[in-house]
Amino acid sequence: MEGFNLELSDQPESLEQILVDCRDTLKYGVRTGHPRFFNQLSTGLDIIGLSGEWLTSTANTNMFTYEIAPVFVLMEQLTLKKMREIIGWPNGEGDGIFSPGGAISNMYSVMIARYKFFPEVKTKGMTAAPRLVLFTSEHSHYSIKKASAALGFGTENLILLSTDERGRVIPADLEAKVIDAKARGCVPMFVNATAGSTVYGAFDPIHEIADICEKYNMWLHVDGAWGGGLLMSRKHRHKLCGVERANSVTWNPHKMMGVPLQCSAILVRERGVLSGCNSMCAGYLFQPDKQYDVSYDTGDKAIQCGRHVDIFKFWLMWKAKGTIGFEQHIDKCLDLSHYLYTKIKGREGYQMVFDGEPQHTNVCFWYLPPGIRDMPNGQEKREKLHKVAPKIKAMMMESGTTMVGYQPQGDKVNFFRMVISNPAATRSDIDFLTDEIERLGQDL
Amino acid sequence: MEGFNLELSDQPESLEQILVDCRDTLKYGVRTGHPRFFNQLSTGLDIIGLSGEWLTSTANTNMFTYEIAPVFVLMEQLTLKKMREIIGWPNGEGDGIFSPGGAISNMYSVMIARYKFFPEVKTKGMTAAPRLVLFTSEHSHYSIKKASAALGFGTENLILLSTDERGRVIPADLEAKVIDAKARGCVPMFVNATAGSTVYGAFDPIHEIADICEKYNMWLHVDGAWGGGLLMSRKHRHKLCGVERANSVTWNPHKMMGVPLQCSAILVRERGVLSGCNSMCAGYLFQPDKQYDVSYDTGDKAIQCGRHVDIFKFWLMWKAKGTIGFEQHIDKCLDLSHYLYTKIKGREGYQMVFDGEPQHTNVCFWYLPPGIRDMPNGQEKREKLHKVAPKIKAMMMESGTTMVGYQPQGDKVNFFRMVISNPAATRSDIDFLTDEIERLGQDL
């Protein structure tokens, strides 16, 4: 706040000052496109994607109707179909929409499932339905919980599933909890399987979960916000094996595929439920007597009215890279994480959070400074170790050299979660990260 | 679809082809920034706002945490405070967030109201609450209805309020319906007052509605998505008189203030309820042991996880224009609509949809081609007139000269809704519009 006057005034500033403000904004910002920015699942800066976003903002239009976004609406339709084909739904049939982020895409999935099984909730509210319960992994993204709260289910009716040591849902636990919920008079309605969990990068076993969903007539959603990109890779797509059995899929090209923020799709296998769920037929916007086929007016499918054009940057990147370019991007990031895993798994001072090769680019580890390494295991060591990652990260941010995330998980104290989604990163950036952790952490 | 290969391939396209694709995208797009584009509430293209959006996409970061968007988070905080001051809340206190559009902002208001009165719904779901009812004008935006469906109230529990001939809520009708709902055992919880309705541009009488909300302990939301901008004008802000009594306000700078899409704020008078309603305390993102004041991490207030940076373009425009520049922009647009109204109100072939000077820039009128003018009033004339606006609009779109919206409303057949939000428009553009309507409509 010092040296940068953010205050807004009655009078205009000069153009010179506006340019200074722009420079300062970039100067004090965080370089998320830098190959040593490992802090989030969305990193990097693709130059074609950026050009696409610049053109989008120049066109400054709105996705709700074909009449004002004809090209973008067609691009969205075509791209969503292509994504459904890649998921494996016959002829790419189904429906979908781009939404402002994975949390909203996940919220859509819960809404659509509810509409499919209890359409009367749309008009009569949740009191018209029995007590509905939802299931998701204890490792899943918090947006499923947000959706439970927002949509009127209540977070207590979201049942958390146990996972194995790698963070993958245990199908038997799902079935036991479904049976238990039914015995308590609840109606199990929705299961979220995560394809690429936020912290561990774990892939839930979709086929086994799908079997249980079919047996008990539940909606299967796959949250592939983070892991969906792996569908583009012949080498890695087996990790989402069974995804074609999902009723809906979240897939964020702005994460693993490097599309500028935001670009998230919710894809639905059955046609009609997305619009059925959300349409309100506003007469001022979706006039039925237009001179074109009004099925191209996608706005009434959305919970938004105005909707930002998120498709063009993605479509343009796909044109420029080809499917094969995304595949190379993804394979490269996974190769880099393999390099990191191999490098640190036996290295002195490092301890992996779980055993075995990571499934995604998430590499979760503790760094133990020399002073902690030889301490006997116990509460004191845990407490000291818990403070290491926050301290190292604080020093990284102060020196401005690199950024990486950390968090506790369950009974595990703070550990680093390294992720790679920027194909501009190299092995030397990985080496830099471990050197930096060791340099900053040596005296802790 | 002809002559523009939208298909996505395995192999990359050449850079030359990418440039051709960009040119074609603009060529086949709709020029929403043109001063004769009157089709939506969001029009125009502000060059500083556009630069702001370009810088935003270059920075490619995410609003959820201060650590990766320090400058933008501070700008958002400061701008929201300024907006709350302009609303008239003491010292600009309260809370708020930018959201992906007015529909989502309105959805927030309903969620927050529910949390304020029935916080247990967050954990236990809607079945923990009595039967809640919401109220909004029959002329209000359809997003209130979408929110009722999505959040589990049910659209039947959204009670529509009657309006006067100008489209403004009749307060006595609200009170009667509140009393009736209570008599039926329902709990009236939320009232939406519209400041600038979508079609008529009507401003509901906020003070009288606020009195009723206080009397019956209901949340008062003001949907100023379209009309909120008038708060920047000393001449026109009286139309929102009483807005300071609202519990929450939606205000879309991307409409009347010409900020590039999207830029919508939900503003809340009471601090704490927005975060209380939505927070889930995800450990991987909102670590409590960061080295900075984590109250700057705004992400847990949102229903989104990742959130696009919508603040910078707005902040930069405010810097560049000053409050006074927005005021001039708004006054100019309202002057232009006054010019149009004055021009056509007594002109042959035109008929106003309601009597009296419009409150906002919405001018609603029928154009009666010569062949219809002298027909006796009746069903045949209505049917013919109903087809006029769609036909004229179709011809406008085919000739590519101008665009303006139309719709029916209640028992009124299709009429034109002219709106002006682009300060680049001039009187000659208004003259062009009426000339064009008369030219295209003469033989209908």
Side-chain angles (χ1 to χ4, degrees), chain A residues 14 194 287 367 434:
Chain A
S14 66
T194 304
Q287 302 90 335
Y367 173 70
T434 52

Side-chain angles (χ1 to χ4, degrees), chain B residues 38-96:
Chain B
F38 303 113
N39 205 61
Q40 312 296 149
L41 306 183
S42 304
T43 65
L45 186 61
D46 183 275
I47 202 71
I48 298 283
L50 178 62
S51 314
E53 193 67 344
W54 285 12
L55 186 146
T56 298
S57 39
T58 310
N60 196 31
T61 194
N62 196 315
M63 291 298 283
F64 49 37
T65 60
Y66 176 83
E67 72 190 59
I68 69 162
V71 182
F72 299 131
V73 164
L74 293 175
M75 284 173 177
E76 181 175 84
Q77 200 177 59
L78 189 142
T79 307
L80 288 168
K81 183 166 192 286
K82 187 92 180 172
M83 293 172 88
R84 291 191 300 262
E85 282 167 8
I86 289 168
I87 286 171
W89 291 332
N91 303 316
E93 276 170 25
D95 207 342

